[in-house]
Amino acid sequence: MEPDIANATLKALRRVLRATESGTRRLAAATGLTPSQLLVLREIDAGDEVTPGLVAQRLEFSHATITAIVDRLVALELASRTRSAQDKRRIHLEATALGRRRLVEAPDMLQEKFEAGFAALPGWEQAMILAGTERLADLLGAGDVDAAPLLDTGAIDRE
């Protein structure tokens, strides 16, 4: 093993972790929300007749996780639930005026910066980064850990 390369890799990984933590703190200071709560609120505000299942599908979160996050958003009066007029079994989600205000106040998320920068890379470089990151997860014993596509260090459905 090349110690210089290993140390440089660990430093780069540490910078990613610190950037993630810093972004989460900035978001919490500006809005009082976690990254996952903000993403869910954005999805809720993105269209009409948004359902929890649709949000789960778009964000690749489990239904249970979406339910827990929506419960928190409703408790904070940032979102509301209503039953469908056509099918009483369906629940529609909507951002409240306060929720929409929080969306406007939110700083750019680290995840958005990543997505924009990553999309600008050529396909071969995207594939190389994916392969290296997956291998790193395997080396750390986290290859089989279930994870949503979200840059955050805490539990997704935390308060």
Side-chain angles (χ1 to χ4, degrees):
M1 172 176 82
E2 294 289 329
D4 291 341
I5 294 173
N7 284 340
T9 303
L10 288 172
K11 284 180 178 181
L13 181 57
R14 178 74 176 146
R15 287 193 306 268
V16 169
L17 292 171
R18 291 188 69 186
T20 301
E21 291 169 359
S22 174
T24 297
R25 282 193 306 272
R26 254 191 330 274
L27 179 64
T31 65
L33 299 173
T34 66
S36 55
Q37 290 168 345
L38 181 65
L39 286 175
V40 170
L41 187 57
R42 282 184 177 166
E43 284 300 320
I44 290 171
D45 193 49
D48 296 328
E49 298 188 356
V50 175
T51 65
L54 180 63
V55 174
Q57 179 183 5
R58 286 183 181 164
L59 294 178
E60 299 180 38
F61 289 6
S62 73
H63 287 273
T65 297
I66 293 300
T67 298
I69 293 171
V70 169
D71 286 347
R72 180 73 177 146
L73 293 174
V74 169
L76 293 170
E77 298 180 357
L78 302 175
S80 64
R81 290 183 175 106
T82 56
R83 293 216 176 264
S84 168
Q86 292 80 19
D87 183 348
K88 296 295 183 195
R89 296 170 296 176
R90 292 179 61 94
I91 301 292
H92 292 153
L93 304 171
E94 185 176 351
T96 64
L98 178 59
R100 286 189 291 281
R101 202 163 45 249
R102 292 278 175 91
L103 289 173
V104 170
E105 296 167 354
D108 286 344
M109 290 179 54
L110 186 62
Q111 178 149 338
E112 293 165 341
K113 292 177 185 177
F114 169 80
E115 289 170 352
F118 193 78
L121 297 174
W124 67 266
E125 195 169 2
Q126 291 178 0
M128 186 178 73
I129 291 170
L130 172 60
T133 307
E134 286 180 339
R135 184 69 174 130
L136 182 58
D138 287 340
L139 289 173
L140 295 174
D144 293 333
V145 173
D146 183 35
L150 174 69
L151 278 173
D152 192 9
T153 56
I156 291 176
D157 59 355
R158 72 184 183 279
E159 293 185 14

